[in-house]
PDB file of all heavy atoms in Angstrom:
ATOM      1  N   LEU A   4       1.933   1.941  -3.443  1.00  0.00           N
ATOM      2  CA  LEU A   4       0.865   2.549  -4.224  1.00  0.00           C
ATOM      3  C   LEU A   4       0.720   4.027  -3.871  1.00  0.00           C
ATOM      4  O   LEU A   4       0.576   4.887  -4.750  1.00  0.00           O
ATOM      5  CB  LEU A   4      -0.461   1.827  -3.969  1.00  0.00           C
ATOM      6  CG  LEU A   4      -1.629   2.462  -4.706  1.00  0.00           C
ATOM      7  CD1 LEU A   4      -1.568   2.145  -6.188  1.00  0.00           C
ATOM      8  CD2 LEU A   4      -2.952   2.026  -4.147  1.00  0.00           C
ATOM      9  N   TYR A  19       1.424  20.024 -16.203  1.00  0.00           N
ATOM     10  CA  TYR A  19       0.425  21.027 -16.576  1.00  0.00           C
ATOM     11  C   TYR A  19       0.752  22.424 -16.068  1.00  0.00           C
ATOM     12  O   TYR A  19       0.175  23.404 -16.515  1.00  0.00           O
ATOM     13  CB  TYR A  19      -0.976  20.577 -16.129  1.00  0.00           C
ATOM     14  CG  TYR A  19      -1.483  19.432 -16.966  1.00  0.00           C
ATOM     15  CD1 TYR A  19      -1.706  18.181 -16.421  1.00  0.00           C
ATOM     16  CD2 TYR A  19      -1.696  19.593 -18.328  1.00  0.00           C
ATOM     17  CE1 TYR A  19      -2.150  17.120 -17.191  1.00  0.00           C
ATOM     18  CE2 TYR A  19      -2.133  18.545 -19.114  1.00  0.00           C
ATOM     19  CZ  TYR A  19      -2.359  17.312 -18.550  1.00  0.00           C
ATOM     20  OH  TYR A  19      -2.793  16.274 -19.335  1.00  0.00           O
ATOM     21  N   GLU A  31      -2.046  18.497 -29.493  1.00  0.00           N
ATOM     22  CA  GLU A  31      -1.368  18.976 -30.700  1.00  0.00           C
ATOM     23  C   GLU A  31      -1.973  20.309 -31.105  1.00  0.00           C
ATOM     24  O   GLU A  31      -3.185  20.451 -31.176  1.00  0.00           O
ATOM     25  CB  GLU A  31      -1.554  17.969 -31.835  1.00  0.00           C
ATOM     26  CG  GLU A  31      -0.564  16.829 -31.758  1.00  0.00           C
ATOM     27  CD  GLU A  31      -0.758  15.866 -32.902  1.00  0.00           C
ATOM     28  OE1 GLU A  31      -0.869  16.313 -34.051  1.00  0.00           O
ATOM     29  OE2 GLU A  31      -0.812  14.662 -32.620  1.00  0.00           O
ATOM     30  N   TRP A  73     -31.823  36.720 -61.409  1.00  0.00           N
ATOM     31  CA  TRP A  73     -33.038  36.802 -60.577  1.00  0.00           C
ATOM     32  C   TRP A  73     -32.715  37.070 -59.106  1.00  0.00           C
ATOM     33  O   TRP A  73     -33.610  37.206 -58.282  1.00  0.00           O
ATOM     34  CB  TRP A  73     -33.843  35.509 -60.696  1.00  0.00           C
ATOM     35  CG  TRP A  73     -33.017  34.248 -60.596  1.00  0.00           C
ATOM     36  CD1 TRP A  73     -32.585  33.511 -61.647  1.00  0.00           C
ATOM     37  CD2 TRP A  73     -32.515  33.626 -59.419  1.00  0.00           C
ATOM     38  NE1 TRP A  73     -31.841  32.451 -61.213  1.00  0.00           N
ATOM     39  CE2 TRP A  73     -31.777  32.497 -59.839  1.00  0.00           C
ATOM     40  CE3 TRP A  73     -32.582  33.898 -58.057  1.00  0.00           C
ATOM     41  CZ2 TRP A  73     -31.125  31.644 -58.954  1.00  0.00           C
ATOM     42  CZ3 TRP A  73     -31.948  33.050 -57.175  1.00  0.00           C
ATOM     43  CH2 TRP A  73     -31.221  31.939 -57.612  1.00  0.00           C
ATOM     44  N   ASP A 103     -27.934  31.444 -64.227  1.00  0.00           N
ATOM     45  CA  ASP A 103     -29.268  31.580 -64.829  1.00  0.00           C
ATOM     46  C   ASP A 103     -29.622  30.346 -65.636  1.00  0.00           C
ATOM     47  O   ASP A 103     -28.749  29.645 -66.129  1.00  0.00           O
ATOM     48  CB  ASP A 103     -29.281  32.818 -65.729  1.00  0.00           C
ATOM     49  CG  ASP A 103     -29.390  34.071 -64.899  1.00  0.00           C
ATOM     50  OD1 ASP A 103     -30.479  34.350 -64.410  1.00  0.00           O
ATOM     51  OD2 ASP A 103     -28.344  34.721 -64.706  1.00  0.00           O
ATOM     52  N   ASP A 133     -23.000  29.316 -66.547  1.00  0.00           N
ATOM     53  CA  ASP A 133     -22.840  27.973 -65.958  1.00  0.00           C
ATOM     54  C   ASP A 133     -24.176  27.244 -66.080  1.00  0.00           C
ATOM     55  O   ASP A 133     -24.856  26.988 -65.087  1.00  0.00           O
ATOM     56  CB  ASP A 133     -22.404  28.134 -64.487  1.00  0.00           C
ATOM     57  CG  ASP A 133     -22.022  26.819 -63.851  1.00  0.00           C
ATOM     58  OD1 ASP A 133     -21.804  25.845 -64.591  1.00  0.00           O
ATOM     59  OD2 ASP A 133     -21.942  26.765 -62.606  1.00  0.00           O
ATOM     60  N   HIS A 134     -24.545  26.916 -67.305  1.00  0.00           N
ATOM     61  CA  HIS A 134     -25.905  26.411 -67.564  1.00  0.00           C
ATOM     62  C   HIS A 134     -26.190  25.076 -66.864  1.00  0.00           C
ATOM     63  O   HIS A 134     -27.308  24.809 -66.464  1.00  0.00           O
ATOM     64  CB  HIS A 134     -26.148  26.281 -69.070  1.00  0.00           C
ATOM     65  CG  HIS A 134     -25.188  25.360 -69.731  1.00  0.00           C
ATOM     66  ND1 HIS A 134     -25.469  24.063 -69.971  1.00  0.00           N
ATOM     67  CD2 HIS A 134     -23.925  25.570 -70.166  1.00  0.00           C
ATOM     68  CE1 HIS A 134     -24.421  23.494 -70.543  1.00  0.00           C
ATOM     69  NE2 HIS A 134     -23.474  24.390 -70.676  1.00  0.00           N
ATOM     70  N   GLN A 140     -21.751  24.488 -58.574  1.00  0.00           N
ATOM     71  CA  GLN A 140     -22.064  23.408 -57.615  1.00  0.00           C
ATOM     72  C   GLN A 140     -20.950  22.375 -57.513  1.00  0.00           C
ATOM     73  O   GLN A 140     -20.487  22.055 -56.420  1.00  0.00           O
ATOM     74  CB  GLN A 140     -23.338  22.697 -58.042  1.00  0.00           C
ATOM     75  CG  GLN A 140     -24.576  23.410 -57.583  1.00  0.00           C
ATOM     76  CD  GLN A 140     -25.827  22.612 -57.950  1.00  0.00           C
ATOM     77  OE1 GLN A 140     -25.792  21.431 -58.221  1.00  0.00           O
ATOM     78  NE2 GLN A 140     -26.946  23.304 -57.959  1.00  0.00           N
ATOM     79  N   GLN A 142     -17.766  22.343 -58.673  1.00  0.00           N
ATOM     80  CA  GLN A 142     -16.382  22.757 -58.424  1.00  0.00           C
ATOM     81  C   GLN A 142     -16.222  23.601 -57.176  1.00  0.00           C
ATOM     82  O   GLN A 142     -15.183  23.587 -56.539  1.00  0.00           O
ATOM     83  CB  GLN A 142     -15.841  23.568 -59.625  1.00  0.00           C
ATOM     84  CG  GLN A 142     -15.791  22.796 -60.925  1.00  0.00           C
ATOM     85  CD  GLN A 142     -14.636  21.807 -60.938  1.00  0.00           C
ATOM     86  OE1 GLN A 142     -13.695  21.916 -60.164  1.00  0.00           O
ATOM     87  NE2 GLN A 142     -14.711  20.821 -61.818  1.00  0.00           N
ATOM     88  N   ASN A 144     -19.088  24.267 -54.757  1.00  0.00           N
ATOM     89  CA  ASN A 144     -20.130  24.079 -53.733  1.00  0.00           C
ATOM     90  C   ASN A 144     -20.900  25.364 -53.427  1.00  0.00           C
ATOM     91  O   ASN A 144     -21.180  25.672 -52.273  1.00  0.00           O
ATOM     92  CB  ASN A 144     -19.508  23.572 -52.430  1.00  0.00           C
ATOM     93  CG  ASN A 144     -19.534  22.068 -52.300  1.00  0.00           C
ATOM     94  OD1 ASN A 144     -18.971  21.536 -51.364  1.00  0.00           O
ATOM     95  ND2 ASN A 144     -20.184  21.368 -53.205  1.00  0.00           N
ATOM     96  N   LYS A 163     -13.377  34.634 -49.178  1.00  0.00           N
ATOM     97  CA  LYS A 163     -14.692  34.492 -49.802  1.00  0.00           C
ATOM     98  C   LYS A 163     -15.628  35.535 -49.193  1.00  0.00           C
ATOM     99  O   LYS A 163     -15.672  35.683 -47.971  1.00  0.00           O
ATOM    100  CB  LYS A 163     -15.253  33.103 -49.551  1.00  0.00           C
ATOM    101  CG  LYS A 163     -16.482  32.808 -50.390  1.00  0.00           C
ATOM    102  CD  LYS A 163     -16.999  31.430 -50.067  1.00  0.00           C
ATOM    103  CE  LYS A 163     -17.715  30.832 -51.239  1.00  0.00           C
ATOM    104  NZ  LYS A 163     -18.310  29.552 -50.908  1.00  0.00           N
TER     105      LYS A 163
ATOM    106  N   LEU B 186     -30.316  19.599 -55.912  1.00  0.00           N
ATOM    107  CA  LEU B 186     -29.311  20.397 -56.614  1.00  0.00           C
ATOM    108  C   LEU B 186     -29.592  20.457 -58.109  1.00  0.00           C
ATOM    109  O   LEU B 186     -29.344  21.469 -58.758  1.00  0.00           O
ATOM    110  CB  LEU B 186     -27.904  19.833 -56.359  1.00  0.00           C
ATOM    111  CG  LEU B 186     -27.407  19.943 -54.919  1.00  0.00           C
ATOM    112  CD1 LEU B 186     -26.016  19.353 -54.780  1.00  0.00           C
ATOM    113  CD2 LEU B 186     -27.404  21.390 -54.430  1.00  0.00           C
ATOM    114  N   LYS B 190     -31.925  25.382 -60.092  1.00  0.00           N
ATOM    115  CA  LYS B 190     -32.095  26.484 -61.045  1.00  0.00           C
ATOM    116  C   LYS B 190     -33.564  26.800 -61.296  1.00  0.00           C
ATOM    117  O   LYS B 190     -33.926  27.935 -61.539  1.00  0.00           O
ATOM    118  CB  LYS B 190     -31.471  26.080 -62.378  1.00  0.00           C
ATOM    119  CG  LYS B 190     -30.117  26.683 -62.602  1.00  0.00           C
ATOM    120  CD  LYS B 190     -29.676  26.362 -63.994  1.00  0.00           C
ATOM    121  CE  LYS B 190     -28.355  27.038 -64.247  1.00  0.00           C
ATOM    122  NZ  LYS B 190     -27.861  26.712 -65.567  1.00  0.00           N
ATOM    123  N   ASN B 193     -37.040  28.876 -58.365  1.00  0.00           N
ATOM    124  CA  ASN B 193     -37.875  30.076 -58.348  1.00  0.00           C
ATOM    125  C   ASN B 193     -39.105  29.923 -59.246  1.00  0.00           C
ATOM    126  O   ASN B 193     -40.206  30.332 -58.883  1.00  0.00           O
ATOM    127  CB  ASN B 193     -37.063  31.289 -58.794  1.00  0.00           C
ATOM    128  CG  ASN B 193     -36.164  31.745 -57.683  1.00  0.00           C
ATOM    129  OD1 ASN B 193     -36.193  31.184 -56.584  1.00  0.00           O
ATOM    130  ND2 ASN B 193     -35.342  32.734 -57.955  1.00  0.00           N
ATOM    131  N   GLY B 260     -22.405  29.263 -47.033  1.00  0.00           N
ATOM    132  CA  GLY B 260     -21.422  29.890 -47.919  1.00  0.00           C
ATOM    133  C   GLY B 260     -19.998  29.452 -47.635  1.00  0.00           C
ATOM    134  O   GLY B 260     -19.065  30.210 -47.801  1.00  0.00           O
ATOM    135  N   GLY B 262     -18.652  26.750 -49.076  1.00  0.00           N
ATOM    136  CA  GLY B 262     -18.205  25.888 -50.165  1.00  0.00           C
ATOM    137  C   GLY B 262     -16.874  26.321 -50.751  1.00  0.00           C
ATOM    138  O   GLY B 262     -16.571  27.515 -50.836  1.00  0.00           O
ATOM    139  N   PRO B 264     -13.420  24.561 -53.487  1.00  0.00           N
ATOM    140  CA  PRO B 264     -13.077  23.394 -54.328  1.00  0.00           C
ATOM    141  C   PRO B 264     -12.777  22.160 -53.492  1.00  0.00           C
ATOM    142  O   PRO B 264     -13.131  21.048 -53.877  1.00  0.00           O
ATOM    143  CB  PRO B 264     -11.842  23.875 -55.084  1.00  0.00           C
ATOM    144  CG  PRO B 264     -12.003  25.357 -55.161  1.00  0.00           C
ATOM    145  CD  PRO B 264     -12.631  25.751 -53.868  1.00  0.00           C
ATOM    146  N   SER B 266     -14.047  21.360 -50.477  1.00  0.00           N
ATOM    147  CA  SER B 266     -15.298  20.799 -49.961  1.00  0.00           C
ATOM    148  C   SER B 266     -16.071  20.140 -51.094  1.00  0.00           C
ATOM    149  O   SER B 266     -16.691  19.085 -50.925  1.00  0.00           O
ATOM    150  CB  SER B 266     -16.135  21.873 -49.282  1.00  0.00           C
ATOM    151  OG  SER B 266     -16.737  22.711 -50.236  1.00  0.00           O
ATOM    152  N   GLU B 305      -4.492  19.835 -41.158  1.00  0.00           N
ATOM    153  CA  GLU B 305      -4.189  20.885 -40.181  1.00  0.00           C
ATOM    154  C   GLU B 305      -5.341  21.122 -39.198  1.00  0.00           C
ATOM    155  O   GLU B 305      -5.213  21.882 -38.261  1.00  0.00           O
ATOM    156  CB  GLU B 305      -3.801  22.192 -40.880  1.00  0.00           C
ATOM    157  CG  GLU B 305      -4.897  22.840 -41.716  1.00  0.00           C
ATOM    158  CD  GLU B 305      -4.876  22.388 -43.170  1.00  0.00           C
ATOM    159  OE1 GLU B 305      -4.689  21.178 -43.407  1.00  0.00           O
ATOM    160  OE2 GLU B 305      -5.077  23.235 -44.053  1.00  0.00           O
ATOM    161  N   SER B 308      -6.045  15.944 -35.340  1.00  0.00           N
ATOM    162  CA  SER B 308      -4.868  15.115 -35.120  1.00  0.00           C
ATOM    163  C   SER B 308      -5.147  13.689 -35.605  1.00  0.00           C
ATOM    164  O   SER B 308      -5.957  12.977 -35.010  1.00  0.00           O
ATOM    165  CB  SER B 308      -4.518  15.114 -33.633  1.00  0.00           C
ATOM    166  OG  SER B 308      -3.684  14.033 -33.354  1.00  0.00           O
ATOM    167  N   SER B 397      -3.980  -1.236  -5.998  1.00  0.00           N
ATOM    168  CA  SER B 397      -3.604  -1.430  -4.593  1.00  0.00           C
ATOM    169  C   SER B 397      -3.777  -2.903  -4.210  1.00  0.00           C
ATOM    170  O   SER B 397      -2.919  -3.471  -3.530  1.00  0.00           O
ATOM    171  CB  SER B 397      -4.408  -0.514  -3.670  1.00  0.00           C
ATOM    172  OG  SER B 397      -5.754  -0.831  -3.789  1.00  0.00           O
ATOM    173  N   ASN B 445      -6.295  22.070 -16.973  1.00  0.00           N
ATOM    174  CA  ASN B 445      -5.585  20.804 -16.819  1.00  0.00           C
ATOM    175  C   ASN B 445      -4.777  20.713 -15.535  1.00  0.00           C
ATOM    176  O   ASN B 445      -4.696  19.660 -14.920  1.00  0.00           O
ATOM    177  CB  ASN B 445      -4.683  20.571 -18.027  1.00  0.00           C
ATOM    178  CG  ASN B 445      -5.463  19.938 -19.165  1.00  0.00           C
ATOM    179  OD1 ASN B 445      -6.506  19.345 -18.931  1.00  0.00           O
ATOM    180  ND2 ASN B 445      -4.973  20.067 -20.364  1.00  0.00           N
TER     181      ASN B 445
END
Side-chain angles (χ1 to χ4, degrees):
Chain A
L4 177 74
Y19 289 115
E31 278 181 47
W73 45 261
D103 283 285
D133 188 16
H134 59 96
Q140 277 184 19
Q142 298 285 341
N144 266 174
K163 191 181 208 185
Chain B
L186 294 180
K190 259 187 177 178
N193 283 357
S266 75
E305 64 269 42
S308 162
S397 62
N445 276 339

